[in-house]
Amino acid sequence: MTKELNFQKKNQYDRKFRKRVIEVTSKRFALRKLIQPYQFAASVKFKSILDRDFAYILEYDCNVNWYLEKPLIIVYEDIHGNKNLYCPSFIVEYFDGTAPKLIEVVKESMLSNMCLEQKNKYSAAEEFCKKNGLEFCLVTDVQIRIERRIELSNYKFLVPYRDFYCNVNKEEKGFPVFNTDVALVRNKLVTKITIKELLISITDDKKRQEELLFQIWFMVANRFISANLKEKLTVKSFITK
């Protein structure tokens, strides 16, 4: 009886949760969580690099309010009729009011020949979502790494710039988030222009251009200025306020 109650408790859903239910210890990848740092500022942990790649996409999706990896546990029956536990990859909540999504990140090759265990697991997840106002969906490596290959590459490139000042002791190093170079770039950016053209318009000094280029990537990464992230980012990319 106690075991049955424990399984029922696992299937309860609380929209206020902000803590993962499974701690990842075998493999560790850290991507700083900064979409809503005042809500959930812990590092995101992953069991696979594919999960990490999907998190990059979530980090730069303007419609994502917050997300959490390994958010809850669902009880399902295995092929022998025994109760097992399933923990989906992510839960994602959106700004536009659409239903939050419970997401399983999976390789495309696994979907073409799913075993009964997988089908039972995903069916339980779909049923759970119907009862709790969620949407269950599978996101594959094809969708992440092929269909959004260029975007993913840009996101990986930008994340170190976005988080740079967060990882610096500002008092010791003297790196304010909004410094004179950021102000200089914003003042000079009066119209849509390539990064290279903007740099040349400010200075002919190559070393100085490199310093300003760092600030431009920082600004693009934090959406202080806009660039088309569906095209590969280079100094020939257009930027605008």
Side-chain angles (χ1 to χ4, degrees):
M1 186 66 177
T2 302
K3 185 177 181 180
E4 183 66 28
L5 286 174
N6 286 337
F7 276 122
Q8 289 176 4
K9 194 173 182 180
K10 293 288 186 184
N11 256 356
Q12 291 176 354
Y13 169 54
D14 179 5
R15 287 185 181 275
K16 295 182 180 180
F17 63 79
R18 289 293 187 275
K19 189 178 189 300
R20 65 184 69 89
V21 297
I22 292 179
E23 291 295 335
V24 180
T25 57
S26 58
K27 295 182 180 179
R28 292 183 180 271
F29 301 93
L31 176 65
R32 185 65 60 184
K33 178 75 176 65
L34 287 176
I35 288 181
Q36 297 288 340
Y38 50 88
Q39 287 187 349
F40 186 71
S43 296
V44 182
K45 297 179 181 179
F46 309 98
K47 287 184 69 176
S48 73
I49 297 178
L50 185 58
D51 282 359
R52 182 199 63 182
D53 286 352
F54 183 61
Y56 278 114
I57 291 174
L58 293 175
E59 286 282 316
Y60 277 89
D61 186 338
C62 294
N63 191 33
V64 170
N65 181 14
W66 62 267
Y67 71 89
L68 180 65
E69 82 284 16
K70 300 300 179 188
L72 52 82
I73 292 173
I74 295 171
V75 179
Y76 73 98
E77 287 190 359
D78 63 18
I79 56 176
H80 304 294
N82 299 319
K83 289 188 176 180
N84 270 346
L85 303 179
Y86 163 49
C87 186
S89 304
F90 293 93
I91 191 168
V92 185
E93 187 176 273
Y94 301 93
F95 282 115
D96 65 6
T98 56
K101 289 183 179 178
L102 197 60
I103 296 172
E104 178 68 17
V105 175
V106 63
K107 290 186 177 180
E108 183 86 18
S109 58
M110 294 180 65
L111 298 181
S112 58
N113 190 27
M114 278 199 295
C115 64
L116 185 57
E117 181 84 5
Q118 273 183 291
K119 291 179 180 177
N120 289 348
K121 198 164 59 172
Y122 296 155
S123 293
E126 288 176 350
E127 187 63 28
F128 176 87
C129 287
K130 287 178 183 177
K131 292 179 179 178
N132 290 280
L134 304 171
E135 179 185 343
F136 180 69
C137 60
L138 302 173
V139 175
T140 70
D141 54 331
V142 172
Q143 293 169 293
I144 297 169
R145 292 176 174 170
I146 297 178
E147 294 178 6
R148 305 188 69 174
R149 177 179 57 84
I150 294 176
E151 292 171 78
L152 179 60
S153 176
N154 285 336
Y155 302 156
K156 289 181 177 181
F157 169 73
L158 288 173
V159 161
Y161 292 96
R162 185 196 66 176
D163 297 346
F164 176 76
Y165 290 116
C166 298
N167 299 323
V168 169
N169 184 323
K170 299 178 182 61
E171 293 182 1
E172 181 181 324
K173 301 295 183 182
F175 281 124
V177 174
F178 295 99
N179 55 34
T180 53
D181 283 349
V182 170
L184 175 62
V185 170
R186 282 192 62 83
N187 290 335
K188 285 288 186 178
L189 187 58
V190 294
T191 186
K192 188 175 181 180
I193 191 174
T194 68
I195 294 173
K196 185 175 182 179
E197 289 169 341
L198 178 62
L199 291 171
I200 292 173
S201 73
I202 297 174
T203 180
D204 293 329
D205 188 310
K206 297 297 183 184
K207 184 176 180 180
R208 183 73 178 120
Q209 286 181 359
E210 289 178 2
E211 293 173 353
L212 291 171
L213 180 59
F214 182 96
Q215 299 298 339
I216 290 172
W217 292 137
F218 165 75
M219 295 170 76
V220 171
N222 286 280
R223 300 193 182 96
F224 300 151
I225 55 180
S226 299
N228 185 357
L229 298 183
K230 293 185 178 181
E231 297 179 356
K232 183 174 174 57
L233 287 175
T234 70
V235 293
K236 295 181 180 179
S237 297
F238 283 92
I239 53 175
T240 186
K241 286 185 179 178

